[in-house]
């Protein structure tokens, strides 16, 4: 289920009802507030066996879309924003059949200049059954000619009172002050959803496992999610108000997230994070 974003849900409901979907959208807002998930839920409505609109569904089509395996949904990750990958979209676009096809491009602002030029041509020449959704936390970095051809859909953070509801409904075991930290600093549904996934990938929490895990992280959003996870998993949130060093440490980790959002090289961020973990475990 998608929590919040009611304006966006109503907007697309009316657009679908009145057959007025545009060919291109830009979902813009801070990292990790559910833009990618919203795009996938929007796409899965068109293939859902039970036509569920922004509700969870276990039908095969919905599950394959959410796992990025549906043949009519093309998802392009941050490390695929190169001209060769963009050129390959033509093959996907001209697959037979009149059904809606969705192309979802994550971190679209990081497209190379050549890739952006190629994408613009693709956007202009695509048939009407193709829906492009560009996801970004830096709208103005997308070239103006692409921006002018897409509808801008802003996404805001969830209201603070939604966070406790989400944690309760999903049976996530967080201390009350950890929930307060989520409200004040994170307020991030996508990160809450990621906790169990990251937990499953880290069967134990020895330093060497953490370092290996960090080294294998690809993509800025995955690194942001891990830092948030690290804060809540390894710090005794109930005691941080009595320990200035802990407060400063958490502040430093949150500053790393700011640096990621400012497009500082993620390899540098990962090295800083690894050095901090090694320092903590001397």
């Amino acid at each position: 289920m998608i929590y919040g974003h009611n304006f966006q849900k109503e907007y697309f409901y009316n657009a679908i009802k009145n057959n007025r979907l545009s060919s291109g959208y830009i979902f813009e807002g801070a990292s990790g507030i559910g833009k990618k998930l919203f795009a996938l839920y929007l796409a899965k409505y068109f293939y859902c066996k039970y036509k569920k609109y922004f509700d969870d569904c276990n039908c095969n089509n919905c599950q394959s879309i959410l796992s990025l395996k549906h043949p009519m949904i093309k998802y392009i990750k941050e490390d695929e924003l190169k001209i060769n990958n963009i050129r390959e979209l033509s093959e996907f676009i001209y697959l037979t059949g009149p059904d809606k096809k969705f192309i979802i491009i994550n971190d679209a602002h990081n497209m190379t200049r050549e890739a952006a030029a190629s994408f613009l041509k693709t956007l202009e020449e695509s048939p009407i059954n193709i829906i492009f959704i560009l996801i970004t936390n830096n709208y103005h970095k997308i070239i103006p000619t692409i921006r002018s051809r897409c509808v801008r859909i802003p996404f805001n953070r969830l209201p603070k009172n939604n966070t406790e509801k989400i944690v309760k409904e999903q049976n996530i075991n967080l201390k009350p002050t950890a929930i307060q930290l989520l409200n004040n600093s994170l307020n991030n549904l996508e990160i809450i959803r990621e906790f169990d996934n990251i937990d499953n990938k880290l069967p134990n929490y020895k330093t060497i496992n953490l370092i290996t895990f960090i080294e294998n992280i690809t993509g800025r959003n995955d690194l942001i999610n891990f830092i948030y996870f690290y804060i809540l998993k390894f710090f005794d949130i109930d005691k941080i108000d009595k320990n200035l060093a802990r407060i400063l440490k958490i502040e430093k980790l949150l500053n790393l997230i700011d640096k990621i959002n400012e497009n500082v090289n993620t390899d540098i961020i990962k090295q800083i994070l690894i050095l901090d973990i090694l320092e903590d475990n001397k």
Side-chain angles (χ1 to χ4, degrees):
M1 179 178 291
I2 296 282
Y3 292 89
H5 306 314
N6 293 326
F7 169 80
Q8 292 84 349
K9 291 176 187 174
E10 184 176 356
Y11 170 86
F12 280 106
Y13 177 82
N14 289 326
I16 294 167
K17 179 181 177 182
N18 295 300
N19 195 28
R20 296 186 60 89
L21 279 174
S22 295
S23 60
Y25 293 94
I26 298 177
F27 288 6
E28 64 101 3
S31 294
I33 57 176
K35 302 186 297 296
K36 169 189 165 184
L37 196 62
F38 191 99
L40 293 173
Y41 267 71
L42 176 62
K44 82 182 186 67
Y45 168 76
F46 290 88
Y47 294 95
C48 177
K49 180 179 178 181
Y50 304 105
K51 282 298 177 184
K52 291 189 176 182
Y53 185 72
F54 284 92
D55 282 328
D56 290 333
C57 179
N58 290 322
C59 77
N60 291 338
N61 282 337
C62 285
Q63 292 305 303
S64 65
I65 288 173
L66 293 179
S67 61
L68 307 179
K69 295 177 181 178
H70 196 280
M72 295 294 103
I73 312 296
K74 181 73 172 177
Y75 177 74
I76 299 179
K77 301 179 292 184
E78 180 186 8
D79 59 359
E80 297 173 334
L81 298 175
K82 301 177 178 65
I83 188 167
N84 289 340
N85 298 96
I86 299 301
R87 284 174 175 166
E88 289 172 359
L89 290 178
S90 296
E91 182 180 345
F92 172 79
I93 285 171
Y94 291 103
L95 289 172
T96 57
D99 292 339
K100 293 288 185 193
K101 302 179 185 70
F102 284 81
I103 295 174
I104 301 170
I105 302 179
N106 202 24
D107 294 319
H109 55 276
N110 287 328
M111 269 192 276
T112 65
R113 183 184 298 274
E114 295 80 7
S118 177
F119 175 75
L120 178 61
K121 188 176 187 320
T122 301
L123 180 63
E124 291 174 332
E125 297 178 356
S126 292
I128 59 174
N129 63 323
I130 305 297
I131 306 294
F132 293 91
I133 299 177
L134 281 63
I135 298 172
T136 182
N137 60 16
N138 194 337
Y139 175 78
H140 293 287
K141 195 176 175 183
I142 296 174
I143 63 173
T145 44
I146 291 178
R147 297 201 310 255
S148 68
R149 287 162 174 78
C150 296
V151 179
R152 182 181 184 181
I153 306 292
F155 282 76
N156 299 314
R157 295 189 183 278
L158 293 173
K160 290 184 177 181
N161 60 0
N162 275 13
T163 310
E164 290 190 34
K165 178 182 177 183
I166 295 164
V167 171
K168 181 178 180 181
E169 288 187 5
Q170 299 198 13
N171 295 318
I172 298 172
N173 184 24
L174 299 179
K175 299 174 183 178
T177 44
I179 296 173
Q180 183 179 358
L181 178 63
L182 280 168
N183 278 332
N184 294 338
S185 300
L186 314 183
N187 193 19
N188 188 322
L189 170 59
E190 191 167 290
I191 288 162
I192 293 173
R193 289 180 180 277
E194 286 294 323
F195 281 147
D196 288 339
N197 292 337
I198 296 175
D199 232 354
N200 291 336
K201 296 174 187 174
L202 288 172
N204 58 66
Y205 301 102
K206 293 180 181 178
T207 301
I208 187 64
N209 291 3
L210 284 176
I211 291 172
T212 300
F213 186 80
I214 292 168
E215 289 174 339
N216 289 326
I217 291 175
T218 59
R220 294 177 182 274
N221 288 338
D222 287 342
L223 187 55
I224 288 171
N225 285 346
F226 176 81
I227 294 174
Y228 281 136
F229 165 82
Y230 183 73
I231 291 171
L232 292 176
K233 189 72 182 183
F234 294 95
F235 288 85
D236 190 345
I237 305 295
D238 281 337
K239 296 180 180 178
I240 62 171
D241 58 335
K242 300 177 183 179
N243 188 325
L244 179 60
R246 289 284 184 175
I247 294 173
L248 294 176
K249 178 70 174 181
I250 291 174
E251 192 68 27
K252 182 177 181 181
L253 290 167
L254 292 174
N255 285 338
L256 287 181
I257 292 170
D258 290 337
K259 294 298 182 185
I260 296 170
N261 286 326
E262 292 168 6
N263 288 323
V264 172
N265 188 299
T266 53
D267 288 334
I268 295 174
I269 301 296
K270 287 196 284 187
Q271 288 305 309
I272 293 172
L273 189 57
I274 288 169
L275 288 173
D276 283 350
I277 290 172
L278 290 172
E279 182 69 25
D280 289 342
N281 288 276
K282 279 185 177 179

